[in-house]
Amino acid sequence: MSEPDRASAVFSLDLSDDVVQMRDWLHEFAASVIRPAAAEWDEREEMPWPVLEEAAKVGLYSLDFYAQQYLEGSGLGIPVAFEELFWGDAGIGLALAGSSLAAVAVVANGTPEQVGEWCPQMFGGPGDVKLGAFCSSEPEAGSDVGAIRTRAVYDAAADEWVLNGVKTWATNGGIANVHVVVASVDPSLRSRGQASFIVPPGTAGLSMGQKFRKHGIRASHTAEVVLSDVRVPGRCVVGGRERLEERLARIREGGRGGEQAAMKTFEASRPGVAAMAVGVARAAVEYAAEYSRTRVQFGRPIGQNQGVAFMLADMAASVDAARLLTWRAAWMARQGKPFTCAEGSMSKLVAGETAVRVTEQAIQILGGNGYTRDYPVERWHRDAKIFTIFEGTSEIQRMIVGRAVTGLDVR
């Protein structure tokens, strides 16, 4: 076989049978359990515990499920799963997926012992559902992760780390069983002097501050986390104290310190977040298309009008494009290929912007109906906006992509 023939034989966009079965199973759960509950929990602005319990019963809300998808060979397990969950509802979807970000922070940077001890405690099981929370942002440190003020000081006599500071915008913050907190060990090194710390369940000094009432994703709990002389065992620094000390010594001597903990977590999660946005966008396209087939004006379905059909065509094409960028980034990450052209940031940027645009277009197609809470597109539009803000704003993603494109230090 010639080289061109061999290359064409290898390339495929077909999902494996296991991923297809998982996708179909999740779609059924999203359609039968998540969607019927979505409007209620959006109005209540509360954690949808009954849905989490149902998900735990069927094995969806579990460390085992997320581990299987993260380790799936093509890298597409998580993007496919998140697209289906968020097709069901973004708020409930984030309630189901929120603990996985804390788990990723430990898996991406931690020791095998830390993964084995703490990740199961972020999920629990049927009848004993638990939560994890990843705490990075602060009131004065959102996009500027280097400005984090939360301090971690090592008490050698007690072999404990003492944490003080305030975190904000934390999914599951204050109500989680396990918190993973990004803190500064050496403020003079800014982001390079930071590390992540595991705060075990029931640790004294950790409390919930303000709970935020949000524009969208209202079924997901978001709050401040206050750390006041929080003491955690020395072994709770993610990756281990020895590795941290080696990294800091290398940096102080002018060497490279490797990837910063919070940034490594965000980079690993970007294709997954992009897939969430794709799920919301796809839901809006499907709903608007069905509405255009059944809504009759001037004696014919509105979908026969070019103004509506062309809008739907652009919407469908942009969702597919966002999905393909997402799959590419997820596949590259799983194969260990570096994002040399900022492929992870591209996926989140395009998917987030697409979700906002197509949900707004869906409202336009539904007209006055779309502007009411009697139809889900209004909620999806509110939900979509978060994907241009959290885990790296669209502006930050553009900056990262811009640096890759120009080779310059874009600021």
Side-chain angles (χ1 to χ4, degrees):
M1 182 184 291
S2 67
E3 284 302 318
D5 289 340
R6 186 176 293 109
S8 63
V10 170
F11 179 77
S12 173
L13 287 173
D14 288 335
L15 298 172
S16 70
D17 290 343
D18 287 344
V19 173
V20 169
Q21 291 175 9
M22 179 272 293
R23 179 196 65 192
D24 294 345
W25 171 65
L26 267 189
H27 185 78
E28 173 58 28
F29 185 88
S32 62
V33 178
I34 295 177
R35 278 206 171 176
E40 175 188 351
W41 292 99
D42 177 72
E43 290 286 345
R44 292 175 65 162
E45 299 190 52
E46 296 175 1
M47 178 67 74
W49 292 107
V51 180
L52 266 67
E53 182 61 36
E54 287 301 309
K57 286 178 183 177
V58 300
L60 165 57
Y61 187 76
S62 69
L63 176 62
D64 183 59
F65 172 77
Y66 283 108
Q68 285 183 25
Q69 303 319 314
Y70 274 110
L71 296 175
E72 191 275 326
S74 70
L76 301 184
I78 283 294
V80 169
F82 283 176
E83 180 176 335
E84 295 306 323
L85 287 177
F86 282 69
W87 174 90
D89 179 67
I92 294 177
L94 194 56
L96 291 166
S99 295
S100 68
L101 183 60
V104 167
V106 177
V107 171
N109 305 291
T111 65
E113 293 76 17
Q114 289 172 334
V115 173
E117 179 176 4
W118 300 111
C119 288
Q121 297 187 54
M122 299 180 188
F123 294 91
D128 187 29
V129 170
K130 298 182 184 298
L131 300 173
F134 181 67
C135 308
S136 176
S137 294
E138 298 184 0
E140 302 301 324
S143 297
D144 183 8
V145 177
I148 282 176
R149 295 180 179 177
T150 296
R151 287 282 277 119
V153 177
Y154 183 62
D155 180 349
D159 186 25
E160 292 178 332
W161 292 94
V162 184
L163 278 63
N164 283 282
V166 177
K167 293 295 180 178
T168 193
W169 311 122
T171 298
N172 299 336
I175 64 171
N177 300 84
V178 178
H179 291 74
V180 180
V181 177
V182 179
S184 177
V185 178
D186 185 343
S188 69
L189 301 177
R190 286 184 55 80
S191 64
R192 296 188 302 164
Q194 295 170 2
S196 295
F197 297 85
I198 298 163
V199 181
T203 300
L206 185 148
S207 61
M208 187 178 81
Q210 175 188 5
K211 177 186 174 181
F212 296 103
R213 301 188 65 189
K214 305 186 298 293
H215 178 64
I217 55 166
R218 301 199 304 194
S220 171
H221 174 94
T222 311
E224 290 180 330
V225 174
V226 180
L227 302 130
S228 180
D229 288 332
V230 171
R231 287 182 167 267
V232 301
R235 62 187 173 84
C236 284
V237 57
V238 176
R241 190 166 70 88
E242 182 177 338
R243 196 166 84 184
L244 171 63
E245 293 296 342
E246 290 174 355
R247 177 169 65 85
L248 293 177
R250 210 162 46 241
I251 295 169
R252 289 168 184 144
E253 292 171 2
R256 296 180 59 85
E259 295 177 272
Q260 189 267 344
M263 289 297 97
K264 189 173 180 181
T265 300
F266 290 141
E267 188 69 10
S269 68
R270 271 180 191 139
V273 176
M276 298 173 184
V278 171
V280 176
R282 185 186 114 211
V285 173
E286 291 177 358
Y287 198 93
E290 177 61 25
Y291 186 88
S292 77
R293 289 188 285 267
T294 57
R295 174 67 168 171
V296 175
Q297 290 288 278
F298 304 105
R300 63 180 183 178
I302 63 172
Q304 285 188 290
N305 298 318
Q306 285 189 3
V308 173
F310 285 9
M311 192 184 302
L312 284 165
D314 287 341
M315 293 161 68
S318 62
V319 172
D320 272 13
R323 180 184 297 109
L324 288 171
L325 283 173
T326 300
W327 283 14
R328 179 183 69 169
W331 177 82
M332 289 178 67
R334 186 68 183 93
Q335 309 312 314
K337 296 180 180 293
F339 289 158
T340 55
C341 294
E343 290 87 352
S345 289
M346 278 189 189
S347 69
K348 183 182 182 297
L349 170 64
V350 173
E353 300 281 323
T354 295
V356 172
R357 183 174 63 256
V358 301
T359 52
E360 180 181 6
Q361 290 171 314
I363 291 175
Q364 192 69 23
I365 290 171
L366 269 68
N369 287 332
Y371 200 65
T372 71
R373 295 192 180 182
D374 294 330
Y375 291 79
V377 292
E378 172 270 340
R379 183 176 72 253
W380 294 338
H381 184 51
R382 287 189 286 108
D383 291 340
K385 186 57 189 170
I386 193 61
F387 297 106
T388 67
I389 299 172
F390 75 170
E391 297 202 43
T393 64
S394 289
E395 290 71 29
I396 290 293
Q397 307 308 328
R398 287 189 173 95
M399 185 171 67
I400 295 170
V401 175
R403 288 171 179 168
V405 171
T406 65
L408 301 173
D409 186 15
V410 178
R411 294 182 180 272

